RNA sequence: CGGGACGUGGCUCAGCCUGGUAGAGCGCUUGGUUUGGGACCAAGAUGUCGCAGGUUCAAAUCCUGUCGUCCCGACCA
């Protein structure tokens, strides 16, 4: 039987660059092909399934990773991949690799240990300081355990690419990243050590960089579709990576750590850190009345001021926030019924470290003393120390007849006309969009939902190529910095996202393309030479020859145990072989997500092959 | 780092308040009966009660410290 004829093989049987230094040997399929006589049996591998939910697993995908025997925790945020988990991980990685290759990217492998000097050169030694894992060697020299590799690849390119003729290039790798996560969480979702595919494109022009970006964007869509994931792209903030154009690929899930704002009418979608809406500015009212201070004893919340006897609606109040931005106190003004979006604030001001001033912190207390009031009575109309920057949300532009704190405890000021009465340093959009606001593009009501970020594409520009000297000579002999992009996929996170999105009450429901084995043969009698076992071994040989990945559950367990475990692990197809159905000349095919169907023994292999082929084609057609 | 919860056989937990012989279920071992949806019977093995101090005649239990784990917030693939 010719595997290619069934369309089960990947684009090429021996993918290039499979010799990664840490992971991902050639596909097990290749091994089976040349060694078809050793069936993979349940009792010979390690699949430690659990009936009970592990105490330290909160979300269902984390529970199932552990219960199905895919991973075990070594310590917080550090996991060992067991045989089944590794197989699925390799499947995802291989899909990523194939699509990267298809998009013209070239695989490399960069060191995990990186010299701090290149991080100092890019400036990220400071800006990413808290996320960096550092180690020292015997000479007490410090090294960085790479959380990402922009500096390394840019250093490489600076040395190796010198002429416009050598561009464009896109290098990628699949490997372990280290981040000193503040709080590892949810199993593989947020780990100290995780596997990432990171790609870096280098172009000579901005237009070229956009084309490279688009190629990756398209490749990502294919990768997630082939992995059986429903993921979608949203506009995103660029954070400490830098750059000016970015999309995140999101998997909708209640357990996700991101809020996505989207419009069903026109397709607008953005991370809430970036999202904008068409909500109108604050309505103008009568102008002219002078500001007036009035007593508001004990009133320290927007809510309290909105009630009798004051009855100032939240949308006529100015909320005054004191933040510490890169060690400098700043005032941020937003409307009383809005919430500050710190990410937008950081992006708009370029600030690196931003936190609210805390009156309980002695160092911060001085800021409130300088203003003359504690939170709850703060304002920007009077008594703002010279040199303090006052940033105001655009929604307040032109607002008058507003009420705000007087910078005197127990007093507020009314009749505030913000442009007349407050020295605003800069106007910017720093409010957080809420569900139901009109879409900026089409006016329809925006919606918000939780999602898991599985991929991120950035257009970087020359942020790294300039400081690290990745330059080239163009046709006219002019030296120019390369225009870069970078593109990440959390491979381990993607794996868990698949489980989070594809499970039921009995366990995982693997998409065929990332299942640890495609078929689980389940003989109900396992004695050597017994008819079910003999048939299982025969089917194993036929299916394996057809390029299908098969596991025989040869455990001497009761049928219920074997059925439950196969559903917990989530093999796409189970073939039950028992004396009862054999008596009728049949076996049972049970797709994980479908109903049992009886199949004649003679046609069993062909039926399984056809089922797998169809399912495989369905997933790849989506890509 | 701030707030909260929890550390007891491999796993899930009880016991702690009110100090005095360390328990259950699952899993594991042996034998038997079972055998198409997580079987049953019998007999077993498995714990320095996270660690270190302290109080006490006596500490899983009370006190202090410490380490670890999980949850909420800031960070990110």
């Amino acid at each position: 039987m010719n595997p290619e004829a069934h369309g089960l093989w990947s684009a090429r049987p021996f993918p290039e660059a499979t010799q990664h230094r840490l992971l991902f040997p050639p596909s097990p399929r290749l091994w089976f092909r040349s060694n078809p006589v050793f069936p993979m049996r349940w009792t010979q591998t390690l699949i430690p399934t659990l009936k009970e939910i592990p105490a330290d697993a909160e979300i269902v995908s984390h529970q199932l990773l552990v219960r199905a025997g895919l991973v075990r925790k070594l310590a917080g945020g550090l996991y060992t991949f067991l045989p089944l988990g590794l197989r699925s991980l390799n499947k995802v990685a291989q899909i990523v690799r194939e699509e990267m290759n298809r998009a013209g990217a070239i695989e490399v492998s960069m060191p995990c240990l990186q010299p701090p000097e290149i991080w100092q050169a890019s400036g990220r030694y400071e800006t990413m300081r808290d996320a960096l894992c550092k180690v020292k060697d015997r000479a007490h020299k410090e090294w960085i355990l790479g959380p990402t590799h922009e500096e390394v690849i840019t250093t490489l390119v600076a040395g190796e690419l010198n002429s416009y003729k050598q561009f464009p290039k896109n290098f990628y790798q699949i490997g372990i990243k280290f981040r000193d996560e503040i709080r590892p969480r949810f199993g593989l979702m947020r780990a100290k050590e995780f596997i990432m595919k990171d790609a870096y494109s280098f172009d000579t022009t901005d237009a070229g960089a956009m084309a490279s970006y688009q190629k990756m964007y398209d490749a990502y869509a294919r990768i997630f579709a082939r992995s059986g994931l429903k993921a979608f792209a949203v506009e995103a903030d660029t954070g400490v990576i830098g750059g000016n154009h970015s999309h995140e690929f999101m998997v909708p899930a209640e357990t996700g750590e991101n809020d996505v704002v989207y419009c069903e009418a026109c397709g607008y979608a953005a991370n809430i850190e970036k999202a904008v809406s068409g909500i109108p500015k604050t309505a103008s009212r009568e102008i002219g009345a002078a500001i007036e201070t009035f007593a508001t004893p004990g009133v320290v919340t927007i809510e309290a001021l909105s009630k009798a006897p004051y009855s100032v609606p939240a949308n006529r109040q100015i909320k005054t926030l004191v933040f510490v931005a890169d060690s400098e106190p700043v005032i941020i003004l937003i409307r009383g019924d809005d919430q500050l979006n710190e990410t937008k604030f950081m992006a708009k001001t370029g600030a690196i470290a931003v936190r609210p001033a805390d009156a309980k912190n002695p160092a911060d207390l001085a800021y409130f003393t300088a203003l003359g009031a504690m939170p709850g009575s703060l304002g920007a109309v009077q008594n703002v120390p010279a040199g303090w920057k006052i940033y105001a949300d655009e929604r307040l532009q032109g607002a008058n007849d507003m009420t705000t704190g007087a910078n005197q405890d127990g007093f507020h000021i009314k009749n505030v006309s913000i442009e007349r009465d407050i020295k605003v340093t800069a106007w910017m959009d720093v409010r957080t969009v809420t569900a139901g606001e009109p879409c900026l593009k089409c006016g329809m009501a925006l919606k918000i939902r939780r999602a898991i970020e599985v991929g991120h594409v950035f257009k970087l520009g020359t942020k790294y190529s300039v400081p690290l000297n990745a330059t080239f000579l163009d046709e006219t002999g002019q030296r120019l910095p390369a225009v870069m992009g970078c593109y990440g996929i959390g491979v381990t996170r993607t794996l868990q996202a698949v489980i989070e999105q594809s499970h039921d009450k009995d366990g995982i429901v693997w998409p065929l393309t990332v299942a640890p084995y495609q078929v689980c043969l389940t003989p109900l009698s396992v004695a050597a030479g017994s008819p079910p076992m003999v048939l299982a071994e025969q089917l194993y040989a036929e299916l394996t020859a057809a390029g299908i990945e098969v596991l025989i559950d040869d455990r001497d367990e009761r049928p219920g145990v074997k059925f439950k475990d196969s559903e917990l692990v989530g093999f796409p197809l189970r073939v039950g072989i028992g004396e009862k159905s054999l008596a009728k000349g049949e076996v049972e095919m049970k797709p994980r997500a479908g109903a049992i169907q009886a199949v004649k023994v003679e046609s069993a292999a062909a039926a399984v092959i056809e089922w797998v082929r169809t399912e495989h084609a369905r997933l790849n057609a989506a890509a």
Side-chain angles (χ1 to χ4, degrees):
Chain A
M1 199 169 287
N2 179 0
E4 280 77 7
H6 292 284
L8 299 173
W9 295 92
S10 308
R12 60 177 74 84
F14 282 91
E16 291 165 16
T18 47
Q19 298 157 15
H20 191 271
R21 71 177 69 202
L22 292 169
L23 293 161
F24 318 125
S27 163
R29 280 177 287 182
L30 306 175
W31 186 89
F32 283 132
R33 191 187 208 185
S34 53
N35 300 272
V37 289
F38 304 117
M40 182 46 77
R41 296 163 181 268
W42 194 297
T43 56
Q44 288 170 351
T45 182
L46 177 64
I47 311 175
T49 58
L50 259 32
K51 272 197 237 183
E52 299 192 78
I53 297 172
D56 56 6
E58 186 73 9
I59 67 175
V60 71
S61 54
H62 183 194
Q63 295 167 355
L64 288 173
L65 274 170
V66 178
R67 286 190 57 210
L70 304 176
V71 302
R72 284 293 183 266
K73 182 171 73 178
L74 174 65
L78 300 172
Y79 289 84
T80 296
F81 276 83
L82 304 183
L84 247 41
L86 181 61
R87 289 183 67 96
S88 279
L89 180 65
N90 284 339
K91 293 284 191 76
V92 176
Q94 186 58 23
I95 290 172
V96 170
R97 180 173 285 121
E98 287 170 9
E99 293 301 332
M100 285 294 113
N101 292 345
R102 183 204 295 261
I106 310 154
E107 188 168 16
V108 295
S109 177
M110 293 180 261
C112 291
L113 280 181
Q114 303 183 19
E117 289 78 8
I118 56 177
W119 286 79
Q120 282 152 358
S122 72
R124 289 205 297 180
Y125 190 79
E126 290 304 320
T127 58
M128 278 191 78
R129 184 212 314 253
D130 294 341
L132 297 177
C133 289
K134 296 169 186 169
V135 294
K136 285 188 176 168
D137 63 17
R138 66 180 76 197
H140 304 292
K141 165 154 177 74
E142 180 181 278
W143 298 90
I144 288 169
L145 283 169
T148 174
H149 284 73
E150 281 82 5
E151 283 81 359
V152 177
I153 194 71
T154 309
T155 300
L156 177 84
V157 166
E160 307 303 328
L161 300 187
N162 301 303
S163 161
Y164 73 94
K165 295 173 188 167
Q166 295 169 295
F167 289 80
K169 283 279 188 294
N170 187 339
F171 299 102
Y172 79 97
Q173 63 173 353
I174 300 173
I176 294 178
K177 297 283 185 275
F178 300 85
R179 293 204 182 150
D180 189 2
E181 285 293 339
I182 301 166
R183 179 153 81 90
R185 190 170 13 185
F186 302 150
L188 305 176
M189 283 294 183
R190 179 178 296 279
K192 276 183 162 56
E193 183 185 309
F194 60 98
I195 294 166
M196 181 160 106
K197 183 285 301 177
D198 46 327
Y200 308 91
S201 67
F202 295 83
D203 280 272
T204 56
T205 64
D206 203 62
M210 275 315 295
S212 295
Y213 182 95
Q214 190 62 42
K215 274 189 194 168
M216 288 294 104
Y217 184 105
D218 295 341
Y220 276 33
R222 293 181 55 86
I223 286 164
F224 297 123
R226 283 185 61 190
S227 304
L229 264 180
K230 291 181 186 68
F232 59 98
V234 309
E235 294 177 19
D237 177 64
T238 51
V240 290
I241 304 271
N244 48 24
H245 189 69
S246 174
H247 285 89
E248 287 165 333
F249 284 77
M250 294 287 194
V251 174
E254 283 312 304
T255 52
E257 300 184 77
N258 300 269
D259 282 308
V260 170
V261 176
Y262 65 103
C263 173
E264 287 179 331
C266 73
Y268 171 76
N271 191 308
I272 197 151
E273 296 174 340
K274 170 94 175 177
V276 294
S277 77
I279 200 161
K281 291 190 173 159
T282 308
S284 214
R285 288 189 175 178
E286 75 278 11
I287 309 176
I291 61 167
E292 181 184 335
T293 302
F294 63 108
T296 50
V299 173
V300 293
T301 61
I302 300 281
E303 162 113 28
L305 194 60
S306 71
K307 290 183 174 158
Y310 313 105
S311 301
V312 181
N315 63 16
R316 303 312 299 187
Q317 296 187 42
I318 301 170
K319 195 188 290 185
T320 306
L321 304 169
V322 178
F323 269 67
V324 183
D326 296 339
S327 307
E328 293 288 321
V330 299
I331 288 175
I332 305 172
L333 304 178
I334 55 175
R335 214 170 80 170
D337 54 341
D338 278 341
Q339 293 296 317
L340 175 69
N341 188 321
E342 284 187 39
T343 307
K344 281 187 182 177
F345 179 75
M346 292 169 77
K348 299 268 160 64
T349 61
I352 292 159
V354 170
R355 61 178 175 83
D358 178 5
K360 281 176 284 192
N361 174 339
D364 290 359
L365 186 58
Y367 300 138
F368 296 107
T369 310
L371 285 167
M374 297 301 283
S377 303
L378 297 171
V381 174
Q382 55 196 24
N383 203 30
V384 176
W388 284 38
K389 291 195 168 77
I390 300 175
Y391 297 105
D393 184 68
E394 287 172 350
R395 200 180 181 197
L396 288 169
Q397 225 160 6
N400 50 25
D401 187 24
M402 302 296 284
T403 298
T404 188
N407 274 345
Q408 183 181 352
D409 288 327
F411 291 89
H412 279 79
I413 300 175
K414 60 184 174 185
N415 300 337
V416 173
S417 178
I418 190 163
E419 305 202 40
R420 179 193 66 189
D421 301 319
I422 297 178
K423 288 196 198 66
V424 174
T425 310
W427 295 92
M428 48 186 60
D429 168 35
V430 290
R431 66 182 289 278
T432 305
V433 168
T434 59
E437 291 177 15
C439 174
L440 183 62
K441 293 187 176 172
C442 75
M444 294 299 288
L446 292 169
K447 295 188 171 183
I448 296 181
R449 71 182 302 179
R450 301 285 285 175
I452 299 163
E453 179 191 356
V454 288
H456 202 157
V457 292
F458 296 86
K459 185 161 162 286
L460 289 173
T462 58
K463 176 181 161 112
Y464 298 93
S465 54
V466 167
L468 293 163
N469 283 315
T471 59
F472 63 93
L473 292 180
D474 72 2
E475 297 91 323
T476 65
Q478 193 182 359
R479 184 165 294 280
L480 293 171
V483 186
M484 294 175 58
C486 75
Y487 318 94
I489 288 180
V491 179
T492 37
R493 181 183 284 180
T494 297
L495 180 71
Q496 187 169 344
V498 169
I499 299 172
E500 188 67 27
Q501 196 177 67
S502 188
H503 67 268
D504 63 17
K505 65 175 172 51
D506 295 315
I508 301 170
V509 183
W510 284 115
L512 185 80
T513 45
V514 294
Y517 290 91
Q518 297 166 334
V519 176
C520 180
L521 296 177
T522 308
L524 299 182
S525 157
V526 297
S530 70
M533 198 62 188
V534 168
L535 180 57
E537 284 167 346
Q538 185 188 327
L539 282 174
Y540 183 96
E542 288 181 59
L543 296 175
T544 302
I548 294 177
E549 298 163 349
V550 187
L551 178 73
I552 298 182
D553 184 355
D554 63 331
R555 293 175 301 166
D556 188 12
E557 288 286 354
R558 297 166 64 85
V561 172
K562 300 173 82 153
F563 293 154
K564 285 288 184 190
D565 268 350
S566 79
E567 279 149 21
L568 175 59
V569 173
F571 301 109
L573 186 66
R574 180 180 72 219
V575 179
I577 307 167
E579 305 278 7
K580 279 190 190 172
S581 44
L582 276 188
K584 291 184 282 183
E586 294 173 345
V587 297
E588 285 172 356
M589 271 178 49
K590 168 71 174 75
R592 179 61 180 79
I596 290 182
Q597 52 193 103
V599 182
K600 287 293 175 194
V601 168
E602 317 79 81
S603 56
V608 170
I609 291 166
E610 176 58 18
W611 187 90
V612 171
R613 194 196 63 75
T614 305
E615 188 63 12
H616 202 269
R618 186 180 66 79
L619 282 159
N620 282 338

